[in-house]
Amino acid sequence: MEALRLSFMVILVMATSVQSQGGLKAGFYSSSCPGAEAIVRSTVESHFKKDPTVAAGLLRLHFHDCFVQGCDGSVLIAGSSAERSALPNLGLRGFEVIDDAKTQLEASCPGVVSCADILALAARDSVDLSDGPSWQVPTGRRDGRVSSSQGLNLPSPLDSVTVQRQKFAAKGLDDHDLVTLVDFMAAGAHTIGQTDCQFFRYRLYNFTTTGNADPSISQSFLAQLQTLCPKDGDGTKRVALDIDSQNKFDVSFFKNVRDGKGVLESDQRLWEDAATRNIVQNYAGTIRGLLGFRFDFEFPKAMIKMSSIEVKTGSDGEIRKICSKFN
């Protein structure tokens, strides 16, 4: 089985190595800064060893960046009126990893590697370090010169599938991308992330103001969640979004949704929509899902597509010297 997985991953790397999208290309820094990807990888790995949960933070950071003004590093800008100060972004983390990598890259290759590219590479490395697939990231993004806390239209854990679909479609992403990339939704990377009790406790005790629990939650899982999040308990207590394997990037998240064990309402609703349910079933099934191989193949493709949203290349934007500040 391990030999089969290794063979599959070789095919995956070959399939993604020639990817070029949105004016980006794999190996963009091969001449201008040959060690760029290795520096980002070692930086992410160093932080990951100290705190594996930073992987979910970096994935979420990349998603939030791409869904607002495209993948241009605008979410990294600090300031009271900047994007990262908006309410949906207040829980973002992983900024120190990006800043650390940027400092090293500026020492090695001044003014060459964009913060937007560092973020895209760090997201890939986070998945790889969490036992997920790896892929060649098309690079060549430039950093945006605008970052505003106004007008953000990010997917929310409270969104219906219809609303999620509309928000993804606005960025050129379809139902398949929606389900495949559900790991990036507002509460973080769902296969390796966590969320606060306050974001789902309403499902446990007073769903739709009926005084009852959300009927889509399996009874055994409901009891487990109520133990973790008592009715009048601490709303900021953190709970794994994939309780079965919270530090491993795998398909158990989709199996949980299939079995009524989705923590967030938006996750569980994927099982109730006919189109998204079929995709979830494909990933969750041990036969059709090929023990996760299907997801390992589809996820990198969806990531490359998402990380190419409205990118700035060529003479657009800038290459920031400090990721949290415009030049």
Side-chain angles (χ1 to χ4, degrees):
M1 185 60 70
E2 184 62 25
L4 177 60
R5 181 176 177 84
L6 289 173
S7 296
F8 177 84
M9 296 310 296
V10 169
I11 294 172
L12 174 63
V13 171
M14 291 174 63
T16 57
S17 63
V18 296
Q19 287 283 355
S20 178
Q21 196 150 338
L24 309 175
K25 67 176 183 179
F28 181 83
Y29 299 108
S30 58
S31 298
S32 58
C33 190
E37 295 198 23
I39 289 173
V40 174
R41 166 72 186 209
S42 64
T43 304
V44 174
E45 188 168 9
S46 175
H47 285 268
F48 179 83
K49 287 179 178 178
K50 298 174 185 175
D51 177 14
T53 66
V54 76
L58 289 168
L59 283 166
R60 185 186 180 203
L61 198 55
H62 184 42
F63 175 83
H64 280 230
D65 182 40
C66 291
F67 253 70
V68 181
Q69 301 189 77
C71 311
D72 66 350
S74 55
V75 75
L76 302 173
I77 294 295
S80 59
S81 62
E83 196 175 306
R84 75 194 256 183
S85 296
L87 184 60
N89 289 335
L90 294 182
L92 292 178
R93 54 190 295 253
F95 295 101
E96 71 284 357
V97 182
I98 307 303
D99 291 340
D100 188 358
K102 181 61 174 176
T103 298
Q104 295 180 56
L105 285 165
E106 283 299 301
S108 179
C109 313
V112 174
V113 183
S114 70
C115 299
D117 273 345
I118 295 172
L119 189 47
L121 291 166
R124 184 271 313 276
D125 294 335
S126 294
V127 173
D128 185 33
L129 288 166
S130 302
D131 294 331
S134 186
W135 61 95
Q136 288 201 16
V137 177
T139 44
R141 298 167 190 76
R142 288 174 66 85
D143 299 320
R145 294 194 177 101
V146 175
S147 182
S148 173
S149 60
Q150 304 299 312
L152 276 64
N153 192 31
L154 288 158
S156 162
L158 303 179
D159 286 343
S160 66
V161 173
T162 298
V163 173
Q164 292 181 53
R165 181 178 285 124
Q166 291 170 347
K167 290 181 178 180
F168 271 68
K171 299 299 179 181
L173 303 172
D174 57 26
D175 278 359
H176 199 272
D177 299 315
L178 166 61
V179 176
T180 306
L181 296 172
V182 72
D183 304 274
F184 291 90
M185 302 293 264
H190 293 194
T191 184
I192 55 175
Q194 298 177 323
T195 190
D196 293 355
C197 285
Q198 62 188 332
F199 293 127
F200 66 88
R201 190 161 51 190
Y202 68 94
R203 299 183 68 207
L204 311 182
Y205 302 101
N206 194 29
F207 186 64
T208 62
T209 66
T210 62
N212 299 314
D214 185 341
S216 68
I217 306 175
S218 74
Q219 286 302 303
S220 61
F221 191 55
L222 173 61
Q224 187 177 358
L225 290 179
Q226 289 177 332
T227 298
L228 292 170
C229 296
K231 189 174 183 178
D232 298 317
D234 182 4
T236 63
K237 182 181 178 181
R238 305 288 283 172
V239 174
L241 288 161
D242 181 358
I243 290 178
D244 292 334
S245 58
Q246 59 181 303
N247 290 320
K248 186 175 182 181
F249 195 95
D250 56 21
V251 296
S252 68
F253 164 79
F254 299 104
K255 295 178 181 178
N256 289 339
V257 170
R258 177 196 63 192
D259 298 337
K261 296 180 180 180
V263 175
L264 297 177
E265 183 180 358
S266 57
D267 291 345
Q268 195 58 51
R269 297 301 169 254
L270 295 174
W271 189 249
E272 298 177 4
D273 180 272
T276 54
R277 176 175 182 159
N278 185 57
I279 301 168
V280 170
Q281 180 64 62
N282 283 345
Y283 286 151
T286 55
I287 301 300
R288 298 182 69 189
L290 297 176
L291 297 172
F293 292 160
R294 179 194 293 267
F295 182 62
D296 279 357
F297 181 74
E298 296 295 339
F299 184 78
K301 292 197 302 181
M303 274 294 297
I304 290 171
K305 186 175 178 182
M306 186 205 76
S307 64
S308 300
I309 294 174
E310 302 167 19
V311 294
K312 297 167 179 62
T313 59
S315 59
D316 291 341
E318 64 184 14
I319 304 296
R320 288 185 214 139
K321 297 177 181 178
I322 299 173
C323 289
S324 60
K325 299 179 181 179
F326 297 120
N327 288 347

